[in-house]
Amino acid sequence: MDIFSKYNYEEICVDLGINIEDLLCLIEKKTIPKQIERAEYTIVHVTEKFKKLIKQQQVNGRKSLQTVRYYINFINRFEQFVYKVNPEMSIYSLNESLFDDFLLTCQPRQETVLSPGTINTYIGILRRLLSFAHYEGYLDKDLRYRFERHSTKLLPRYYQDSHLKAMLEMTKRKTHAYLWSTILWFLLGTGCRVSELINVRVKDFDIETNLLYTVGKGRKERYIPIYPHIKEIVLEYLYLTGVKEWNKGLTGYLFARDHGVKRERKLSVRSVQYQVHDIITKLGFDRRFNVHSFRHTFAVNCLRAGMKIEYLSQILGHDNPATTYTYIQLLPIDLKSEIMNKFPFPLEKLVHQIYGTGVYEHGQHSDGDRPIYH
């Protein structure tokens, strides 16, 4: 006979640190299977099950295709590494030491080490894997504590005006120069992520309300003001690519590989990244610059113009203003400029408060080298 209960057994299992099978055994007064049986599950067995879950989350709309591809790519590489070490390695063997050995096998092509941000992303995936393993009963306890994210400080990566001028000049030498020039201006004037840029529809660029509609991480919707200069550039680009008049019925992609009003073939993230990387490389810029640097540049420019951090956070799609602060760190040379523009602060008043005397007179001394104030 089925028994219905008001209790949420899944939440109870999480609180107790056990899985649903063990709880049912306790309720039915059965003996819990020996833990050694669970230890027989291999890393590869669990990762294969985990990949199926991730793919299903993409089907259900809980994860984007780009995120799923990133997860699967990482897990596949990690599986290949485990196969070489020991294909029968238990899921209990998944720890930081094994992860460190894996990192040594995946150095990027032109760098000596992986960035802290990339390592933290990998750690996040492994933590989700262990959480999944615990929930499904492949582990008898939660082992996520083995992987702690490292504290990282995002370095300033925004373009100077001279950078932007050189990059825009470089787009003139490219095939479909109008396309790549418009994309650079669009990124600079909206702060969009590249994954958002490629999914913008013509109708989303609403020239009647002067608002750009976009969907960001976690399928969060937001609106971004359209600056007049960006509006002019995009409308000219649309005219050149077959959209003679904008209207709300145009559902094709704003930045498309095909021209006309249908515009069904959107650009890929990789193609935009490649074109920007090619420009950066040819100009000899610091290799830390990339497409995402336009988002940093947008944030810094908004801050310099006096925009409140709360409004900037909303435009960027950040739930927490603390996240926005990581985007607006100034480069040392700009920090110096900003500070010097605010100088001189009333140093003489500060001296008076400290010494209780007058302003220091340069070159006047008494009692040896002691300065005189009046």
Side-chain angles (χ1 to χ4, degrees):
M1 181 178 72
D2 293 333
I3 299 176
F4 297 93
S5 171
K6 64 180 181 179
Y7 299 107
N8 187 321
Y9 291 114
E10 290 184 355
E11 290 184 359
I12 293 174
C13 288
V14 172
D15 291 338
L16 295 177
I18 61 177
N19 57 57
I20 192 70
E21 290 81 7
D22 288 351
L23 181 62
L24 292 174
C25 287
L26 290 172
I27 294 173
E28 298 175 8
K29 298 182 180 180
K30 292 181 180 180
T31 302
I32 297 176
K34 292 182 180 180
Q35 301 298 345
I36 191 171
E37 294 179 1
R38 292 195 184 93
E40 293 177 356
Y41 290 110
T42 65
I43 291 177
V44 175
H45 175 83
V46 178
T47 52
E48 286 297 318
K49 297 291 185 181
F50 184 60
K51 285 193 292 186
K52 290 182 180 179
L53 172 68
I54 297 300
K55 291 176 181 178
Q56 187 59 45
Q57 288 180 337
Q58 191 266 317
V59 173
N60 296 338
R62 293 178 58 191
K63 278 187 170 56
S64 68
L65 178 60
Q66 183 182 358
T67 299
V68 170
R69 285 175 175 172
Y70 191 96
Y71 269 60
I72 300 300
N73 177 267
F74 167 74
I75 295 169
N76 284 341
R77 288 188 291 123
F78 190 72
E79 280 184 351
Q80 292 172 6
F81 164 75
V82 172
Y83 262 116
K84 292 179 181 179
V85 176
N86 178 8
E88 299 301 319
M89 188 177 295
S90 165
I91 185 63
Y92 283 91
S93 301
L94 183 51
N95 54 33
E96 273 202 345
S97 177
L98 183 67
F99 178 57
D100 288 341
D101 289 341
F102 163 74
L103 291 179
L104 295 175
T105 68
C106 55
Q107 303 287 5
R109 293 179 181 177
Q110 297 180 342
E111 297 181 19
T112 56
V113 294
L114 289 171
S115 70
T118 299
I119 293 175
N120 272 345
T121 302
Y122 291 170
I123 288 174
I125 297 174
L126 291 178
R127 284 174 58 87
R128 288 182 177 87
L129 172 66
L130 289 172
S131 177
F132 164 80
H134 179 225
Y135 181 81
E136 293 295 327
Y138 302 123
L139 288 168
D140 65 341
K141 55 185 177 181
D142 191 343
L143 298 181
R144 283 180 293 177
Y145 69 88
R146 291 181 175 180
F147 294 91
E148 294 295 333
R149 290 185 176 88
H150 302 289
S151 177
T152 60
K153 185 177 181 181
L154 188 64
L155 294 173
R157 289 185 298 178
Y158 58 90
Y159 296 111
Q160 302 288 321
D161 291 346
S162 58
H163 291 150
L164 295 171
K165 183 178 180 180
M167 294 179 75
L168 289 165
E169 285 294 323
M170 183 66 74
T171 60
K172 296 178 180 178
R173 307 177 193 176
K174 285 189 168 293
T175 306
H176 306 301
Y178 51 87
L179 168 64
W180 299 112
S181 175
T182 305
I183 284 178
L184 262 58
W185 276 114
F186 185 89
L187 290 168
L188 179 63
T190 64
C192 280
R193 303 176 179 92
V194 63
S195 57
E196 296 167 348
L197 174 141
I198 65 167
N199 287 305
V200 171
R201 307 275 181 167
V202 176
K203 65 182 179 66
D204 297 332
F205 193 82
D206 194 333
I207 64 172
E208 294 179 356
T209 62
N210 290 320
L211 290 172
L212 168 68
Y213 168 80
T214 185
V215 181
K217 286 184 177 180
R219 297 187 177 276
K220 291 184 293 186
E221 301 173 301
R222 72 182 192 279
Y223 287 92
I224 301 171
I226 300 174
Y227 293 100
H229 184 64
I230 303 301
K231 179 178 178 179
E232 292 176 9
I233 291 173
V234 171
L235 287 178
E236 183 179 358
Y237 155 75
L238 287 173
Y239 187 86
L240 290 172
T241 56
V243 178
K244 304 303 180 183
E245 186 176 353
W246 181 92
N247 67 73
K248 292 183 178 180
L250 297 173
T251 59
Y253 292 104
L254 182 63
F255 298 107
R257 290 185 290 167
D258 53 335
H259 293 177
V261 294
K262 289 188 175 181
R263 312 176 77 87
E264 297 174 341
R265 301 170 60 207
K266 68 177 180 179
L267 295 176
S268 67
V269 169
R270 189 175 296 276
S271 65
V272 179
Q273 290 173 333
Y274 172 80
Q275 293 294 339
V276 174
H277 176 74
D278 181 62
I279 293 173
I280 290 171
T281 301
K282 289 179 178 177
L283 291 172
F285 292 167
D286 190 319
R287 61 189 176 194
R288 287 179 301 185
F289 287 122
N290 52 34
V291 176
H292 204 68
S293 299
F294 283 96
R295 187 166 161 85
H296 289 246
T297 307
F298 173 84
V300 169
N301 286 336
C302 287
L303 177 70
R304 284 173 167 167
M307 182 181 291
K308 291 184 178 180
I309 193 73
E310 294 82 4
Y311 299 155
L312 179 57
S313 295
Q314 187 172 339
I315 291 175
L316 292 174
H318 294 157
D319 292 329
N320 188 345
T323 305
T324 309
Y325 275 109
T326 65
Y327 277 79
I328 56 179
Q329 296 181 80
L330 295 177
L331 291 169
I333 188 171
D334 290 323
L335 184 61
K336 175 185 174 183
S337 176
E338 289 292 318
I339 293 174
M340 293 304 293
N341 286 337
K342 303 298 186 293
F343 272 18
F345 66 86
L347 180 60
E348 293 83 359
K349 184 177 179 180
L350 177 62
V351 171
H352 177 73
Q353 291 173 347
I354 294 173
Y355 290 99
T357 56
V359 179
Y360 170 64
E361 280 191 334
H362 294 281
Q364 297 187 21
H365 299 81
S366 66
D367 298 330
D369 292 330
R370 185 170 175 232
I372 296 176
Y373 296 86
H374 65 82

